[in-house]
Amino acid sequence: MWFTRLSIGNPWLATMMMVAFVVLGLFSVQRLQVDQFPDVAFPVVVVQTDYPGASPESVESEVTRKIEEAVNTVSGLRALTSRSYSGTSLVVAEFELTVDPATATQDVREKVAAIRATFRREVKEPKITRFDPADRPIVSIAMTSTGTRSLRELTTLADQIVKKRIENVRGVGQVNLVGGVKREIQIYLNPAQLEALAIGVDQVIAAVRGENQELPVGALRSAAQERVVQIQARAKTPDDFKRIVVARRPNTGSGQPVYLSQVATVVDGQQEQESAALIDGRETLALDVLKAQGQNTIDVVDSIRKAVTAVQRELPPDVKLEVVKDSSTPIRTAVSNVARTMVEGGLLTIRLR
């Protein structure tokens, strides 16, 4: 009660203290991080491993079961579930709530790394991520063309320009392309020619893999300078692939070479489309932007919009970027409603007094 008596005896002091509290509150509220949901860390780790071309049964026996046996030995494990799809293995490890998510992720990563050498060569590097309920796109950007550009051309522009610019924005964690198709050199073998020339499929695969690569050789050093030596033999066009020597005919004196063009058809095509993005029923290319953990959604979205405006000037005139989804809108609305309610509550309190 001493504070009440002090305020009654010194009204100016009480007024100045209240004004100081209000100013301090206004100053602090502008620097508070705002998000739609609280930052809750769940100790759940996901291991995704790609095994291209493998059936679900092969994925289960060659990948999933080995990962399960390794991860099952991690302490604090509560539940372990897995799914084996065509070409993909998915293992989800759920730990007790008392386990630190970062520690659980590191333990799983070490266990998977220990068995990595037992996988077949065709199995890709496992992707180990920590489950985050807020790990969803905060912004979706549609990339369209008013001209005759194909989806493949838009994908190239998005991958080489737009995606890189947005990834450099402060607070952005990841940018995913949805509905894109990338360039792919496709080689269709001719079984009759292979049989006639006594060439196996494995010989063709080995020749293409061996000729299409870039390797560092070393360095040439002298008293005045040092030069880095590299082998740049990566094929860039279908004609480069056609000139690859896949075998040599043993019945000729000089070992006449057999080129890839003699046993296969090389096509400059595109990868199979695995996802699709539609706007008003029209197929388009979308970029989903995920924020980094602990970042302010509103600040990140504002920075992304500025980056989209800047990168639009670097694109051809017929290519347009449009933000079609903005997760900060309901957050802004909720904050505005809270602020208005606070003001109304304060005015009603003063009025009732």
Side-chain angles (χ1 to χ4, degrees):
M1 300 298 291
W2 65 270
F3 185 76
T4 304
R5 291 193 298 269
L6 179 64
S7 300
I8 295 175
N10 301 274
W12 284 107
L13 174 62
T15 303
M16 295 302 295
M17 291 180 62
M18 293 303 298
V19 171
F21 284 138
V22 171
V23 173
L24 181 62
L26 293 175
F27 181 80
S28 301
V29 75
Q30 295 178 355
R31 286 159 176 76
L32 287 176
Q33 291 191 357
V34 182
D35 211 334
Q36 191 169 10
F37 300 105
D39 186 12
V40 180
F42 290 95
V44 179
V45 182
V46 181
V47 183
Q48 179 179 342
T49 310
D50 293 332
Y51 189 2
S55 63
E57 293 78 10
S58 299
V59 173
E60 169 69 24
S61 60
E62 297 289 342
V63 180
T64 305
R65 191 171 301 169
K66 295 180 180 180
I67 295 178
E68 284 181 333
E69 293 174 353
V71 176
N72 196 41
T73 60
V74 178
S75 60
L77 186 64
R78 179 182 178 183
L80 186 64
T81 58
S82 65
R83 296 288 186 273
S84 296
Y85 305 97
S86 178
T88 303
S89 167
L90 194 66
V91 179
V92 180
E94 180 181 353
F95 293 84
E96 300 290 343
L97 294 178
T98 56
V99 177
D100 181 41
T103 303
T105 305
Q106 183 61 32
D107 292 342
V108 172
R109 184 174 287 109
E110 292 176 355
K111 294 296 183 180
V112 174
I115 63 170
R116 178 67 180 90
T118 63
F119 293 160
R120 296 177 63 91
R121 186 174 58 182
E122 294 80 8
V123 178
K124 303 297 183 180
E125 188 69 25
K127 301 176 183 177
I128 303 173
T129 57
R130 191 172 66 188
F131 172 75
D132 185 2
D135 190 15
R136 63 187 185 282
I138 60 173
V139 170
S140 292
I141 305 170
M143 187 174 182
T144 57
S145 174
T146 57
T148 59
R149 292 184 184 272
S150 64
L151 193 58
R152 171 177 156 182
E153 292 176 311
L154 289 177
T155 303
T156 302
L157 287 173
D159 191 41
Q160 296 181 356
I161 300 177
V162 182
K163 182 179 178 182
K164 293 181 179 179
R165 296 293 189 276
I166 297 178
E167 285 177 339
N168 291 331
V169 174
R170 182 179 180 85
V172 172
Q174 186 178 357
V175 180
N176 297 324
L177 294 179
V178 180
V181 288
K182 294 184 178 181
R183 181 191 184 195
E184 181 179 73
I185 301 296
Q186 300 170 346
I187 301 175
Y188 298 95
L189 298 178
N190 188 330
Q193 285 294 104
L194 291 175
E195 184 177 0
L197 297 173
I199 299 175
V201 177
D202 55 341
Q203 290 180 261
V204 179
I205 295 176
V208 173
R209 183 182 290 118
E211 295 293 332
N212 182 35
Q213 58 182 337
E214 293 182 1
L215 298 173
V217 177
L220 294 176
R221 297 182 178 88
S222 64
Q225 60 183 352
E226 177 179 349
R227 294 180 179 271
V228 178
V229 180
Q230 291 183 328
I231 296 178
Q232 297 182 350
R234 187 174 296 277
K236 298 180 180 180
T237 64
D239 291 336
D240 294 337
F241 281 92
K242 292 177 181 179
R243 289 192 291 267
I244 294 178
V245 177
V246 297
R248 292 187 179 274
R249 297 180 182 180
N251 55 353
T252 59
S254 58
Q256 184 178 0
V258 178
Y259 296 99
L260 182 62
S261 58
Q262 297 177 244
V263 296
T265 302
V266 183
V267 178
D268 190 353
Q270 62 187 30
Q271 294 180 352
E272 182 179 356
Q273 189 171 358
E274 298 179 350
S275 60
L278 300 175
I279 295 181
D280 298 331
R282 295 181 293 105
E283 189 176 23
T284 185
L285 177 65
L287 294 93
D288 286 344
V289 185
L290 283 71
K291 69 170 186 175
Q293 292 183 350
Q295 296 296 323
N296 190 326
T297 300
I298 294 178
D299 291 343
V300 176
V301 170
D302 291 341
S303 300
I304 291 173
R305 285 185 174 273
K306 293 179 181 178
V308 170
T309 304
V311 76
Q312 178 68 73
R313 295 191 288 267
E314 303 179 21
L315 297 175
D318 62 310
V319 178
K320 303 297 180 183
L321 296 177
E322 180 185 0
V323 177
V324 295
K325 176 185 175 183
D326 186 349
S327 297
S328 69
T329 301
I331 301 176
R332 298 177 194 270
T333 303
V335 173
S336 177
N337 291 339
V338 170
R340 186 173 65 251
T341 302
M342 291 174 61
V343 173
E344 293 174 353
L347 294 176
L348 288 173
T349 303
I350 297 174
R351 181 66 180 272
L352 292 176
R353 290 183 62 187

